């Protein structure tokens, strides 16, 4: 595995958009092997997500409309990580805001890039257990519909193409593997 140091050289950098959620850079670069090219990169502060697992083994997912794909999407409670919070704090906040659950235990599962071909977003994924109900606090522009499902129901939804969102697929596959290994 290579060291965490840049291997590309930026020849020219332009920030073409700076928004509340992300920015967009267009860079002329020289990459390893003397490959030169133009790279459009979405810069994002990182995100967090948690798979809530109830004491009886059922899980909680949310369905909400996502404008980018113009569909209702089944996914984990998730969101952007605020600049002043750790990934764990962000995951706890999102659980409370979106589904009204406070995690007594939060286990880190995996940290991954969501779409490294054009975006630097880093996703911190957790498994939340020992859950207690608290008042949900969705953002004013969110319409979130929580649902409690068995893992088998969720996996059937994956096979039927009803769950197609990446972080949710990763979490469900990890949970299925965990349970298969435990039995």
């Amino acid at each position: 595995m290579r060291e965490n140091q840049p291997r590309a050289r930026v020849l020219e950098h332009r920030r073409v958009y700076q928004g509340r959620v992300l920015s967009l850079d267009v860079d002329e670069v020289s990459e390893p092997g003397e490959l030169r090219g133009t790279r459009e990169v979405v810069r994002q502060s990182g995100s967090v997500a948690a798979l809530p697992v109830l004491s009886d083994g059922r899980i909680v997912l949310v369905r909400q409309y996502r404008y980018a794909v113009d569909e209702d999407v089944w996914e984990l409670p998730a969101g952007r990580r605020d600049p002043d919070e750790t990934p764990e704090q962000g995951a706890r906040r999102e659980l409370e805001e979106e589904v009204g659950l406070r995690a007594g235990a939060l286990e880190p599962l995996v940290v991954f890039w969501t779409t490294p071909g054009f975006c630097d977003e880093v996703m911190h994924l957790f498994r939340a257990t020992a859950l207690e109900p608290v008042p949900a606090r969705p953002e004013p522009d969110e319409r979130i519909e929580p649902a409690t499902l068995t893992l088998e129901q969720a996996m059937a939804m994956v096979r039927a193409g009803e769950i197609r969102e990446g972080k949710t697929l990763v979490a469900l596959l990890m949970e299925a593997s965990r349970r298969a290994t435990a039995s």
Side-chain angles (χ1 to χ4, degrees):
M1 186 166 242
R2 75 175 178 92
E3 296 293 315
N4 252 354
Q5 52 189 332
R7 295 179 21 185
R9 206 172 75 235
V10 177
L11 306 172
E12 182 182 330
H13 167 78
R14 286 184 301 133
R15 168 116 335 141
V16 297
Y17 176 76
Q18 177 68 53
R20 182 178 61 84
V21 175
L22 57 87
S23 57
L24 176 61
D25 294 341
V26 177
D27 294 338
E28 298 296 325
V29 298
S30 175
E31 295 177 346
E34 298 305 313
L35 178 66
R36 287 183 64 131
T38 302
R39 302 292 181 250
E40 298 171 348
V41 182
V42 173
R43 303 289 181 188
Q44 198 263 4
S45 64
S47 51
V48 294
L51 174 65
V53 181
L54 302 172
S55 60
D56 64 4
R58 292 178 303 150
I59 62 171
V60 179
L61 297 180
V62 298
R63 181 167 55 183
Q64 62 182 322
Y65 174 77
R66 294 297 192 177
Y67 174 76
V69 294
D70 194 25
E71 287 189 25
D72 288 330
V73 176
W74 284 104
E75 59 188 295
L76 301 176
R80 282 189 322 274
R81 192 173 132 205
D82 290 342
D84 61 339
E85 66 186 359
T86 66
E88 293 84 0
Q89 290 168 330
R92 288 180 187 281
R93 176 183 48 75
E94 289 294 338
L95 275 171
E96 290 187 19
E97 287 178 2
E98 292 194 357
V99 293
L101 292 172
R102 179 169 292 143
L106 201 60
E107 174 189 346
L109 291 179
V110 67
V111 177
F112 61 96
W113 293 297
T114 59
T115 47
F118 66 89
C119 183
D120 69 354
E121 178 183 14
V122 174
M123 169 69 64
H124 295 262
L125 181 57
F126 296 88
R127 182 177 191 264
T129 56
L131 300 165
E132 296 179 22
V134 296
R137 305 179 312 275
E139 299 288 327
D141 65 347
E142 290 180 319
R143 297 295 173 266
I144 297 172
E145 177 190 331
T148 302
L149 307 163
T150 65
L151 182 60
E152 293 75 20
Q153 288 171 317
M155 294 306 288
M157 291 170 71
V158 169
R159 288 187 293 278
E162 296 171 45
I163 296 176
R164 299 179 4 198
E165 191 278 323
K167 68 184 173 296
T168 306
L169 295 171
V170 169
L172 293 174
L173 290 171
M174 290 183 79
E175 184 67 14
S177 174
R178 174 192 203 111
R179 293 185 190 188
T181 303
S183 44

